[in-house]
Structure formats: structure tokens, C-alpha cells
Amino acid sequence: MMAKSLSKSYEKRIREARNLKAVKHTEAELKEEKRVEKEEHRNRILERKKKYEEKLRQERYQAEMSARKRMRVKRKELKARAHAKH
């Protein structure tokens, strides 16, 4: 038999079990918050990266189009000079 001072009362065990459950619930909430924050941070990084890549793509497209436009203008000028000589 255990000594009376060593045994815990039923109410005390229930109270400790509730406290433990509350602590675990709080830990789970904190872990979930941390996971959500991490996911949001990751999404922000990916979004910035997508915007940057889109900006680079647009700049390349604009540079290519301006080069094409310069070529068209040059051909037009050459045609105009050729017609002016006749």
C-alpha cells in the first residue's frame, strides 16, 4: 500500500490532466501560428520573385521591340532614300 501522502487524489489528477491538455492545446496553437507565418513569408518571397521575373521579361520584350522598331525605321529610311534617288 502507498502512503496517503504519496497518493494523489482523483480531483488533483483530473486537474493536472486538464492543465496538461490546456498546455498541449496552447502549444499546438503556437505551432500552427508559426507554420502559418512561415507559409505567408514563403508566399511573399515567391510573389516578389514572380514580380521581379515578370519585370525582367517585360524589359527584355521592350528592348527586343525597340530593336525591331529601329530596324523597321531604318528600312523605311533606306526605302525612302532609294525612291528619292529615282
Side-chain angles (χ1 to χ4, degrees):
M1 296 267 318
M2 290 172 69
K4 187 73 172 162
S5 63
L6 295 177
S7 65
K8 294 181 184 179
S9 68
Y10 177 74
E11 291 83 21
K12 191 172 185 179
R13 286 190 309 234
I14 294 296
R15 201 174 325 121
E16 287 177 0
R18 285 183 188 154
N19 288 342
L20 184 62
K21 189 174 182 180
V23 168
K24 286 186 178 187
H25 180 70
T26 305
E27 286 176 353
E29 286 178 347
L30 291 174
K31 283 182 182 179
E32 180 63 20
E33 286 178 17
K34 191 171 184 175
R35 186 194 64 78
V36 168
E37 286 177 11
K38 204 172 192 179
E39 185 70 23
E40 288 174 352
H41 180 68
R42 182 176 175 266
N43 288 338
R44 282 193 304 268
I45 290 172
L46 289 174
E47 189 63 32
R48 265 189 266 137
K49 186 176 179 181
K50 284 180 185 177
K51 284 182 182 180
Y52 178 73
E53 288 173 354
E54 179 64 21
K55 181 181 173 186
L56 287 178
R57 190 184 71 75
Q58 286 291 335
E59 288 174 355
R60 282 190 222 116
Y61 177 76
Q62 289 297 327
E64 184 179 324
M65 289 308 292
S66 67
R68 287 181 182 175
K69 189 173 183 178
R70 283 193 305 264
M71 289 174 63
R72 279 196 306 268
V73 168
K74 198 174 198 179
R75 273 188 264 140
K76 203 173 194 181
E77 288 174 357
L78 288 174
K79 285 181 184 177
R81 285 184 199 165
H83 286 286
K85 286 183 181 178
H86 291 138

Coordinates of all heavy atoms in Angstrom, one line a residue:
M1 N 0.8 -1.2 0.0 CA 0.0 0.0 0.0 C 0.9 1.2 0.0 O 1.9 1.3 0.6 CB -0.9 0.1 1.3 CG -1.9 -1.0 1.4 SD -3.5 -0.8 0.8 CE -4.1 0.8 1.2
M2 N 0.4 2.3 -0.7 CA 1.1 3.5 -0.7 C 0.7 4.4 0.5 O -0.4 4.3 1.0 CB 0.8 4.3 -2.0 CG 1.4 3.7 -3.3 SD 0.8 4.5 -4.8 CE 1.5 6.0 -4.7
A3 N 1.6 5.2 0.9 CA 1.3 6.0 2.0 C 0.3 7.1 1.5 O 0.3 7.5 0.3 CB 2.6 6.7 2.5
K4 N -0.5 7.6 2.4 CA -1.6 8.5 2.0 C -0.9 9.8 1.4 O -1.5 10.4 0.5 CB -2.4 8.8 3.2 CG -3.6 9.7 3.0 CD -4.7 8.9 2.2 CE -5.9 9.7 2.2 NZ -6.8 9.2 1.2
S5 N 0.2 10.2 1.9 CA 0.8 11.4 1.5 C 1.4 11.3 0.0 O 1.6 12.2 -0.7 CB 1.9 11.8 2.4 OG 2.9 10.8 2.4
L6 N 1.7 10.0 -0.4 CA 2.2 9.8 -1.7 C 1.1 9.7 -2.8 O 1.4 9.9 -4.0 CB 3.1 8.5 -1.7 CG 4.3 8.6 -0.9 CD1 5.1 7.2 -1.0 CD2 5.3 9.7 -1.4
S7 N 0.0 9.3 -2.4 CA -1.1 9.1 -3.4 C -1.7 10.4 -3.7 O -1.8 11.3 -2.9 CB -2.1 8.1 -2.9 OG -2.8 8.6 -1.8
K8 N -2.2 10.6 -5.0 CA -2.9 11.8 -5.4 C -4.4 11.6 -5.4 O -4.9 10.5 -5.7 CB -2.4 12.2 -6.8 CG -1.0 12.6 -6.9 CD -0.7 13.0 -8.3 CE 0.8 13.3 -8.5 NZ 1.1 13.6 -9.8
S9 N -5.0 12.6 -5.0 CA -6.5 12.5 -5.0 C -7.0 12.5 -6.5 O -6.3 13.0 -7.4 CB -7.1 13.6 -4.3 OG -6.9 14.8 -4.9
Y10 N -8.2 12.0 -6.7 CA -8.8 11.9 -8.0 C -8.9 13.3 -8.6 O -8.6 13.6 -9.8 CB -10.1 11.2 -8.0 CG -10.9 11.2 -9.3 CD1 -10.5 10.3 -10.3 CD2 -11.9 12.0 -9.5 CE1 -11.1 10.3 -11.5 CE2 -12.6 12.0 -10.7 CZ -12.2 11.1 -11.7 OH -12.8 11.1 -12.9
E11 N -9.4 14.3 -7.8 CA -9.5 15.7 -8.3 C -8.2 16.3 -8.7 O -8.1 17.0 -9.7 CB -10.2 16.5 -7.2 CG -11.6 16.2 -6.9 CD -11.7 15.0 -5.9 OE1 -10.7 14.7 -5.2 OE2 -12.8 14.4 -5.9
K12 N -7.2 16.0 -8.0 CA -5.9 16.5 -8.3 C -5.4 15.9 -9.6 O -4.8 16.7 -10.5 CB -4.9 16.2 -7.2 CG -3.6 17.0 -7.3 CD -2.7 16.8 -6.1 CE -1.5 17.7 -6.2 NZ -0.6 17.5 -5.0
R13 N -5.6 14.6 -9.8 CA -5.2 14.0 -11.1 C -5.9 14.6 -12.3 O -5.4 14.9 -13.3 CB -5.3 12.5 -11.0 CG -4.3 11.8 -10.2 CD -4.5 10.3 -10.4 NE -5.9 9.9 -10.2 CZ -6.3 9.0 -9.4 NH1 -5.4 8.3 -8.6 NH2 -7.5 8.7 -9.3
I14 N -7.2 14.8 -12.1 CA -8.1 15.4 -13.1 C -7.6 16.8 -13.5 O -7.5 17.2 -14.6 CB -9.6 15.3 -12.7 CG1 -10.1 13.9 -12.6 CG2 -10.4 16.1 -13.7 CD1 -10.1 13.1 -13.9
R15 N -7.4 17.6 -12.4 CA -6.9 18.9 -12.6 C -5.6 19.0 -13.4 O -5.4 19.8 -14.3 CB -6.7 19.6 -11.2 CG -6.7 21.1 -11.3 CD -6.7 21.8 -9.9 NE -7.4 21.0 -8.9 CZ -6.8 20.6 -7.7 NH1 -5.5 20.8 -7.5 NH2 -7.5 20.0 -6.8
E16 N -4.6 18.1 -13.0 CA -3.4 18.0 -13.7 C -3.6 17.6 -15.2 O -2.9 18.1 -16.1 CB -2.4 17.1 -13.0 CG -1.9 17.6 -11.7 CD -1.0 16.6 -11.0 OE1 -0.8 15.5 -11.5 OE2 -0.5 17.0 -9.9
A17 N -4.5 16.7 -15.4 CA -4.7 16.2 -16.8 C -5.3 17.4 -17.6 O -4.9 17.6 -18.8 CB -5.7 15.0 -16.8
R18 N -6.2 18.1 -17.0 CA -6.8 19.3 -17.7 C -5.7 20.3 -18.0 O -5.7 20.9 -19.1 CB -7.9 19.9 -16.9 CG -9.2 19.1 -16.9 CD -10.2 19.8 -16.1 NE -11.4 18.9 -16.0 CZ -12.3 19.0 -15.0 NH1 -12.1 19.9 -14.0 NH2 -13.3 18.2 -14.9
N19 N -4.9 20.6 -17.0 CA -3.8 21.5 -17.2 C -2.9 21.1 -18.4 O -2.5 21.9 -19.2 CB -3.0 21.7 -16.0 CG -3.7 22.5 -14.9 OD1 -4.7 23.2 -15.2 ND2 -3.3 22.4 -13.7
L20 N -2.5 19.8 -18.3 CA -1.7 19.2 -19.4 C -2.3 19.4 -20.8 O -1.7 19.7 -21.7 CB -1.3 17.8 -19.1 CG -0.3 17.1 -20.0 CD1 1.0 17.8 -20.0 CD2 -0.2 15.6 -19.7
K21 N -3.6 19.1 -20.8 CA -4.4 19.2 -22.1 C -4.4 20.6 -22.5 O -4.2 20.9 -23.7 CB -5.8 18.7 -21.9 CG -6.6 18.6 -23.1 CD -7.9 17.9 -22.9 CE -8.7 17.7 -24.2 NZ -10.0 17.1 -23.9
A22 N -4.5 21.6 -21.6 CA -4.5 23.0 -22.0 C -3.2 23.4 -22.5 O -3.1 24.2 -23.5 CB -4.9 23.9 -20.8
V23 N -2.1 23.0 -21.9 CA -0.8 23.3 -22.3 C -0.5 22.8 -23.7 O 0.0 23.5 -24.6 CB 0.3 22.8 -21.3 CG1 1.7 22.8 -21.9 CG2 0.2 23.6 -20.0
K24 N -0.9 21.5 -23.9 CA -0.7 20.9 -25.3 C -1.5 21.7 -26.3 O -1.1 21.9 -27.4 CB -1.1 19.4 -25.2 CG -0.1 18.6 -24.5 CD -0.4 17.1 -24.6 CE 0.7 16.3 -23.9 NZ 0.5 14.9 -24.1
H25 N -2.7 22.1 -25.9 CA -3.6 22.8 -26.9 C -2.9 24.2 -27.2 O -2.8 24.5 -28.4 CB -5.0 23.1 -26.3 CG -5.9 23.8 -27.1 ND1 -6.4 23.3 -28.3 CD2 -6.4 25.1 -27.1 CE1 -7.2 24.2 -28.9 NE2 -7.2 25.3 -28.1
T26 N -2.4 24.8 -26.2 CA -1.7 26.1 -26.5 C -0.4 25.9 -27.3 O -0.2 26.7 -28.2 CB -1.3 26.7 -25.1 OG1 -2.4 26.9 -24.3 CG2 -0.6 28.1 -25.3
E27 N 0.3 24.8 -27.1 CA 1.5 24.5 -27.9 C 1.1 24.3 -29.3 O 1.8 24.8 -30.3 CB 2.2 23.3 -27.3 CG 3.0 23.6 -26.1 CD 3.6 22.3 -25.5 OE1 3.3 21.2 -26.0 OE2 4.4 22.4 -24.6
A28 N 0.0 23.6 -29.5 CA -0.5 23.3 -30.9 C -0.9 24.6 -31.6 O -0.6 24.8 -32.8 CB -1.6 22.3 -30.8
E29 N -1.5 25.5 -30.9 CA -1.9 26.8 -31.5 C -0.7 27.6 -31.9 O -0.6 28.2 -33.0 CB -2.7 27.6 -30.5 CG -4.2 27.1 -30.3 CD -4.9 27.9 -29.3 OE1 -4.3 28.7 -28.5 OE2 -6.2 27.7 -29.3
L30 N 0.3 27.6 -31.0 CA 1.6 28.3 -31.3 C 2.3 27.7 -32.5 O 2.8 28.5 -33.4 CB 2.5 28.3 -30.1 CG 2.0 29.2 -28.9 CD1 2.9 29.0 -27.7 CD2 1.9 30.6 -29.3
K31 N 2.3 26.4 -32.6 CA 3.0 25.8 -33.7 C 2.2 26.1 -35.0 O 2.8 26.4 -36.0 CB 3.0 24.2 -33.5 CG 4.1 23.8 -32.6 CD 4.1 22.2 -32.5 CE 5.1 21.8 -31.5 NZ 5.1 20.3 -31.4
E32 N 0.9 26.1 -34.9 CA 0.1 26.4 -36.1 C 0.3 27.9 -36.5 O 0.5 28.2 -37.7 CB -1.4 26.2 -35.8 CG -2.3 26.5 -37.0 CD -2.1 25.6 -38.2 OE1 -1.5 24.5 -38.1 OE2 -2.5 26.0 -39.3
E33 N 0.4 28.8 -35.6 CA 0.6 30.2 -35.9 C 2.0 30.3 -36.6 O 2.2 31.0 -37.6 CB 0.6 31.0 -34.6 CG -0.8 31.3 -34.1 CD -0.8 32.1 -32.8 OE1 0.3 32.8 -32.5 OE2 -1.8 32.1 -32.1
K34 N 3.0 29.6 -36.0 CA 4.3 29.7 -36.6 C 4.4 29.1 -38.0 O 5.0 29.7 -38.9 CB 5.3 28.9 -35.7 CG 6.8 29.2 -36.0 CD 7.7 28.5 -35.0 CE 9.1 28.9 -35.3 NZ 10.0 28.4 -34.2
R35 N 3.6 28.0 -38.2 CA 3.6 27.4 -39.5 C 2.9 28.4 -40.5 O 3.4 28.6 -41.6 CB 2.8 26.1 -39.5 CG 2.8 25.4 -40.8 CD 1.8 24.3 -40.8 NE 0.4 24.8 -40.8 CZ -0.3 25.3 -41.8 NH1 0.3 25.5 -43.0 NH2 -1.5 25.7 -41.6
V36 N 1.8 29.0 -40.1 CA 1.1 30.0 -41.0 C 2.0 31.2 -41.3 O 2.1 31.6 -42.5 CB -0.2 30.5 -40.3 CG1 -0.8 31.6 -41.0 CG2 -1.2 29.3 -40.2
E37 N 2.7 31.7 -40.3 CA 3.7 32.8 -40.5 C 4.7 32.4 -41.5 O 5.1 33.2 -42.4 CB 4.3 33.3 -39.2 CG 3.4 34.1 -38.3 CD 4.0 34.4 -37.0 OE1 5.3 34.3 -36.9 OE2 3.3 34.9 -36.1
K38 N 5.3 31.2 -41.4 CA 6.3 30.7 -42.3 C 5.8 30.6 -43.7 O 6.5 31.0 -44.7 CB 6.8 29.4 -41.8 CG 8.2 29.0 -42.2 CD 8.6 27.7 -41.4 CE 10.1 27.5 -41.6 NZ 10.5 26.3 -40.9
E39 N 4.6 30.1 -43.8 CA 4.0 29.9 -45.1 C 3.7 31.3 -45.8 O 4.0 31.5 -47.0 CB 2.6 29.2 -45.0 CG 2.0 28.8 -46.3 CD 2.7 27.8 -47.1 OE1 3.5 27.0 -46.5 OE2 2.5 27.8 -48.3
E40 N 3.2 32.3 -45.0 CA 3.0 33.6 -45.5 C 4.3 34.2 -46.0 O 4.4 34.9 -47.0 CB 2.3 34.5 -44.5 CG 0.9 34.1 -44.3 CD 0.2 34.9 -43.1 OE1 1.0 35.6 -42.4 OE2 -1.0 34.8 -42.9
H41 N 5.3 34.1 -45.2 CA 6.7 34.6 -45.5 C 7.1 34.0 -46.9 O 7.6 34.7 -47.8 CB 7.6 34.3 -44.4 CG 9.0 34.8 -44.7 ND1 9.3 36.2 -44.7 CD2 10.2 34.2 -44.9 CE1 10.6 36.3 -45.0 NE2 11.2 35.1 -45.1
R42 N 7.0 32.7 -47.0 CA 7.4 32.0 -48.2 C 6.6 32.5 -49.4 O 7.2 32.7 -50.5 CB 7.2 30.5 -48.0 CG 7.6 29.6 -49.1 CD 7.4 28.2 -48.8 NE 7.7 27.3 -49.9 CZ 6.8 26.9 -50.8 NH1 5.5 27.2 -50.6 NH2 7.1 26.1 -51.8
N43 N 5.3 32.7 -49.2 CA 4.5 33.2 -50.3 C 4.9 34.6 -50.7 O 4.9 34.9 -51.9 CB 3.0 33.1 -49.9 CG 2.4 31.7 -49.9 OD1 3.0 30.8 -50.5 ND2 1.4 31.5 -49.1
R44 N 5.2 35.4 -49.7 CA 5.6 36.8 -50.1 C 6.9 36.8 -50.9 O 7.1 37.5 -51.9 CB 5.9 37.6 -48.8 CG 4.6 38.1 -48.2 CD 4.9 39.2 -47.1 NE 5.8 38.7 -46.1 CZ 5.4 38.2 -44.9 NH1 4.2 38.0 -44.7 NH2 6.3 37.8 -44.0
I45 N 7.9 35.9 -50.5 CA 9.1 35.8 -51.2 C 8.8 35.3 -52.7 O 9.4 35.8 -53.6 CB 10.1 34.8 -50.5 CG1 10.6 35.4 -49.2 CG2 11.3 34.4 -51.4 CD1 11.4 34.5 -48.3
L46 N 8.0 34.3 -52.8 CA 7.7 33.8 -54.1 C 7.0 34.8 -55.0 O 7.3 35.0 -56.2 CB 6.8 32.5 -54.0 CG 7.5 31.3 -53.5 CD1 6.4 30.2 -53.3 CD2 8.6 30.8 -54.4
E47 N 6.1 35.6 -54.4 CA 5.4 36.7 -55.1 C 6.4 37.7 -55.6 O 6.3 38.2 -56.7 CB 4.3 37.3 -54.2 CG 3.4 38.2 -54.9 CD 2.6 37.5 -56.0 OE1 2.2 36.4 -55.9 OE2 2.3 38.2 -57.0
R48 N 7.3 38.1 -54.7 CA 8.3 39.1 -55.1 C 9.2 38.6 -56.2 O 9.5 39.3 -57.2 CB 9.2 39.4 -53.9 CG 8.8 40.7 -53.2 CD 9.8 41.1 -52.2 NE 9.4 40.5 -50.9 CZ 10.2 39.9 -50.0 NH1 11.5 39.9 -50.3 NH2 9.8 39.4 -48.9
K49 N 9.5 37.3 -56.2 CA 10.3 36.7 -57.2 C 9.6 36.7 -58.5 O 10.1 37.0 -59.6 CB 10.7 35.3 -56.8 CG 11.7 34.6 -57.8 CD 12.1 33.2 -57.2 CE 13.0 32.5 -58.2 NZ 13.4 31.2 -57.8
K50 N 8.3 36.3 -58.5 CA 7.5 36.4 -59.7 C 7.4 37.7 -60.3 O 7.5 37.9 -61.5 CB 6.1 35.8 -59.4 CG 6.0 34.4 -59.2 CD 4.5 33.9 -58.9 CE 4.4 32.5 -58.6 NZ 3.1 32.1 -58.3
K51 N 7.2 38.8 -59.5 CA 7.1 40.1 -60.0 C 8.4 40.5 -60.6 O 8.5 41.2 -61.6 CB 6.8 41.1 -58.8 CG 5.3 41.0 -58.4 CD 5.0 42.0 -57.3 CE 3.6 41.9 -56.9 NZ 3.3 42.9 -55.8
Y52 N 9.5 40.2 -60.0 CA 10.9 40.5 -60.5 C 11.1 39.9 -61.8 O 11.5 40.5 -62.8 CB 11.9 40.1 -59.5 CG 13.3 40.4 -60.0 CD1 13.9 41.7 -60.0 CD2 14.2 39.3 -60.4 CE1 15.1 41.9 -60.4 CE2 15.5 39.5 -60.8 CZ 15.9 40.8 -60.8 OH 17.2 41.1 -61.3
E53 N 10.7 38.6 -61.9 CA 10.9 37.9 -63.2 C 10.0 38.5 -64.3 O 10.4 38.6 -65.4 CB 10.6 36.4 -63.0 CG 11.7 35.7 -62.2 CD 11.4 34.2 -61.9 OE1 10.2 33.8 -62.2 OE2 12.2 33.5 -61.3
E54 N 8.8 38.8 -63.9 CA 7.9 39.5 -64.9 C 8.5 40.8 -65.4 O 8.4 41.1 -66.5 CB 6.5 39.7 -64.3 CG 5.5 40.3 -65.2 CD 5.2 39.5 -66.4 OE1 5.4 38.3 -66.4 OE2 4.7 40.1 -67.4
K55 N 9.0 41.6 -64.4 CA 9.6 42.8 -64.8 C 10.8 42.6 -65.8 O 10.9 43.3 -66.8 CB 10.1 43.5 -63.5 CG 10.7 44.9 -63.8 CD 11.2 45.5 -62.5 CE 12.0 46.8 -62.7 NZ 12.6 47.3 -61.5
L56 N 11.6 41.6 -65.5 CA 12.7 41.4 -66.4 C 12.2 40.9 -67.8 O 12.8 41.4 -68.8 CB 13.6 40.2 -65.8 CG 14.5 40.6 -64.7 CD1 15.3 39.4 -64.2 CD2 15.5 41.7 -65.0
R57 N 11.2 40.1 -67.8 CA 10.6 39.6 -69.0 C 10.1 40.8 -69.8 O 10.3 40.9 -71.1 CB 9.5 38.6 -68.8 CG 9.0 37.9 -70.0 CD 7.8 37.0 -69.7 NE 6.6 37.7 -69.4 CZ 5.9 38.4 -70.3 NH1 6.2 38.4 -71.6 NH2 4.8 39.0 -69.9
Q58 N 9.4 41.7 -69.2 CA 8.9 42.9 -69.8 C 10.0 43.8 -70.4 O 9.9 44.3 -71.5 CB 8.0 43.7 -68.9 CG 6.7 43.1 -68.6 CD 5.8 43.2 -69.8 OE1 5.9 44.0 -70.7 NE2 4.8 42.2 -69.8
E59 N 11.1 44.0 -69.6 CA 12.2 44.8 -70.1 C 12.8 44.1 -71.3 O 13.2 44.9 -72.3 CB 13.2 44.9 -69.0 CG 12.8 45.8 -67.8 CD 13.8 45.9 -66.7 OE1 14.8 45.1 -66.7 OE2 13.5 46.7 -65.8
R60 N 13.0 42.8 -71.3 CA 13.6 42.1 -72.5 C 12.7 42.3 -73.7 O 13.1 42.6 -74.8 CB 13.8 40.7 -72.2 CG 15.0 40.4 -71.3 CD 15.3 38.9 -71.3 NE 15.7 38.5 -69.9 CZ 15.0 37.7 -69.1 NH1 13.9 37.1 -69.5 NH2 15.4 37.5 -67.9
Y61 N 11.4 42.2 -73.4 CA 10.4 42.3 -74.5 C 10.5 43.8 -75.1 O 10.5 43.9 -76.3 CB 9.0 42.0 -74.0 CG 7.9 42.2 -75.0 CD1 7.7 41.3 -76.1 CD2 7.1 43.3 -75.0 CE1 6.7 41.5 -77.0 CE2 6.1 43.5 -75.9 CZ 5.9 42.6 -76.9 OH 4.9 42.8 -77.8
Q62 N 10.5 44.7 -74.2 CA 10.6 46.1 -74.7 C 11.9 46.4 -75.4 O 11.9 47.1 -76.5 CB 10.5 47.1 -73.5 CG 9.1 47.2 -72.8 CD 8.1 47.7 -73.8 OE1 8.4 48.5 -74.6 NE2 6.9 47.2 -73.7
A63 N 13.0 45.9 -75.0 CA 14.3 46.0 -75.6 C 14.2 45.4 -77.0 O 14.7 46.0 -78.0 CB 15.4 45.4 -74.8
E64 N 13.6 44.2 -77.1 CA 13.5 43.5 -78.4 C 12.6 44.3 -79.3 O 12.9 44.4 -80.5 CB 13.0 42.1 -78.1 CG 12.9 41.3 -79.4 CD 12.3 39.9 -79.1 OE1 12.6 39.3 -78.1 OE2 11.6 39.4 -80.0
M65 N 11.5 44.8 -78.8 CA 10.6 45.5 -79.7 C 11.2 46.8 -80.1 O 11.0 47.2 -81.3 CB 9.3 45.8 -78.9 CG 8.5 44.5 -78.7 SD 8.1 43.6 -80.2 CE 7.1 44.7 -81.1
S66 N 12.0 47.5 -79.3 CA 12.6 48.7 -79.7 C 13.6 48.5 -80.8 O 13.8 49.2 -81.7 CB 13.2 49.5 -78.5 OG 14.2 48.8 -78.0
A67 N 14.3 47.3 -80.6 CA 15.3 47.0 -81.6 C 14.6 46.7 -83.0 O 15.1 47.1 -84.0 CB 16.1 45.7 -81.2
R68 N 13.5 46.0 -82.9 CA 12.7 45.7 -84.1 C 12.2 47.0 -84.7 O 12.2 47.2 -86.0 CB 11.6 44.8 -83.8 CG 11.9 43.4 -83.6 CD 10.7 42.6 -83.3 NE 11.1 41.2 -83.0 CZ 10.2 40.3 -82.6 NH1 8.9 40.6 -82.5 NH2 10.6 39.1 -82.4
K69 N 11.8 47.9 -83.9 CA 11.2 49.2 -84.4 C 12.4 50.0 -85.0 O 12.2 50.6 -86.1 CB 10.6 50.0 -83.2 CG 9.9 51.2 -83.6 CD 9.2 51.8 -82.4 CE 8.4 53.0 -82.9 NZ 7.7 53.6 -81.8
R70 N 13.5 50.0 -84.4 CA 14.7 50.7 -85.0 C 15.0 50.1 -86.4 O 15.3 50.9 -87.4 CB 15.9 50.6 -84.2 CG 15.9 51.5 -83.0 CD 17.2 51.7 -82.3 NE 17.8 50.4 -81.9 CZ 17.7 49.8 -80.7 NH1 17.0 50.5 -79.7 NH2 18.2 48.7 -80.4
M71 N 14.9 48.8 -86.5 CA 15.2 48.2 -87.8 C 14.1 48.6 -88.8 O 14.5 48.8 -90.0 CB 15.2 46.6 -87.6 CG 16.5 46.1 -86.9 SD 16.4 44.4 -86.5 CE 16.4 43.7 -88.1
R72 N 12.9 48.6 -88.4 CA 11.8 49.0 -89.4 C 12.0 50.4 -89.8 O 11.9 50.7 -91.0 CB 10.4 48.9 -88.7 CG 9.9 47.5 -88.7 CD 8.4 47.5 -88.3 NE 8.1 48.2 -87.1 CZ 8.0 47.6 -85.9 NH1 8.2 46.3 -85.8 NH2 7.6 48.3 -84.9
V73 N 12.3 51.3 -88.9 CA 12.5 52.7 -89.2 C 13.7 52.8 -90.2 O 13.7 53.6 -91.2 CB 12.8 53.6 -88.0 CG1 13.3 55.0 -88.3 CG2 11.5 53.6 -87.2
K74 N 14.8 52.1 -89.9 CA 16.0 52.1 -90.8 C 15.6 51.7 -92.2 O 16.0 52.3 -93.2 CB 17.1 51.2 -90.2 CG 18.4 51.5 -90.7 CD 19.4 50.6 -89.9 CE 20.8 51.2 -90.0 NZ 21.8 50.4 -89.3
R75 N 14.9 50.5 -92.3 CA 14.5 50.1 -93.6 C 13.6 51.1 -94.3 O 13.7 51.3 -95.5 CB 13.7 48.7 -93.5 CG 14.6 47.5 -93.5 CD 13.9 46.2 -93.5 NE 13.7 45.8 -92.1 CZ 12.7 45.3 -91.6 NH1 11.6 45.0 -92.3 NH2 12.6 44.9 -90.3
K76 N 12.7 51.7 -93.6 CA 11.8 52.7 -94.2 C 12.7 53.9 -94.7 O 12.4 54.4 -95.8 CB 10.9 53.2 -93.1 CG 9.6 53.8 -93.6 CD 8.7 54.1 -92.4 CE 7.3 54.3 -92.9 NZ 6.4 54.6 -91.8
E77 N 13.7 54.3 -93.9 CA 14.5 55.4 -94.4 C 15.3 55.0 -95.6 O 15.4 55.8 -96.6 CB 15.5 55.8 -93.3 CG 14.8 56.5 -92.1 CD 15.8 56.8 -91.0 OE1 17.0 56.3 -91.1 OE2 15.4 57.4 -90.0
L78 N 15.8 53.7 -95.6 CA 16.5 53.3 -96.8 C 15.6 53.2 -98.0 O 16.0 53.6 -99.2 CB 17.1 51.9 -96.6 CG 18.3 51.9 -95.6 CD1 18.7 50.4 -95.3 CD2 19.5 52.6 -96.1
K79 N 14.4 52.8 -97.9 CA 13.4 52.8 -99.0 C 13.1 54.2 -99.5 O 13.0 54.4 -100.7 CB 12.1 52.1 -98.6 CG 12.2 50.6 -98.5 CD 10.9 50.0 -98.1 CE 11.0 48.5 -97.9 NZ 9.7 47.9 -97.4
A80 N 13.0 55.1 -98.5 CA 12.7 56.5 -98.9 C 13.9 57.1 -99.6 O 13.6 57.8 -100.6 CB 12.4 57.3 -97.6
R81 N 15.1 56.8 -99.2 CA 16.2 57.3 -100.0 C 16.3 56.7 -101.4 O 16.6 57.4 -102.3 CB 17.5 56.9 -99.2 CG 17.8 57.8 -98.0 CD 19.1 57.4 -97.4 NE 19.2 57.8 -96.0 CZ 20.1 57.4 -95.1 NH1 21.0 56.5 -95.5 NH2 20.1 57.9 -93.9
A82 N 16.0 55.4 -101.4 CA 16.0 54.7 -102.7 C 15.0 55.3 -103.7 O 15.3 55.6 -104.9 CB 15.8 53.2 -102.6
H83 N 13.8 55.6 -103.2 CA 12.8 56.2 -104.0 C 13.1 57.7 -104.3 O 12.7 58.2 -105.4 CB 11.4 56.2 -103.3 CG 10.8 54.8 -103.3 ND1 10.3 54.2 -104.4 CD2 10.7 53.9 -102.3 CE1 9.8 53.0 -104.1 NE2 10.1 52.8 -102.8
A84 N 13.8 58.4 -103.5 CA 14.2 59.8 -103.7 C 15.2 59.9 -104.8 O 15.2 60.8 -105.6 CB 14.7 60.4 -102.4
K85 N 16.1 58.8 -104.9 CA 17.1 58.9 -106.0 C 16.5 58.7 -107.4 O 17.0 59.2 -108.3 CB 18.1 57.7 -105.8 CG 19.0 58.0 -104.6 CD 20.0 56.9 -104.5 CE 20.9 57.1 -103.3 NZ 21.9 56.0 -103.1
H86 N 15.4 58.1 -107.5 CA 14.7 57.9 -108.8 C 14.0 59.0 -109.3 O 13.7 59.9 -109.3 CB 13.8 56.7 -108.8 CG 14.5 55.4 -108.6 ND1 14.1 54.4 -107.8 CD2 15.6 54.9 -109.1 CE1 14.8 53.4 -107.8 NE2 15.8 53.6 -108.6

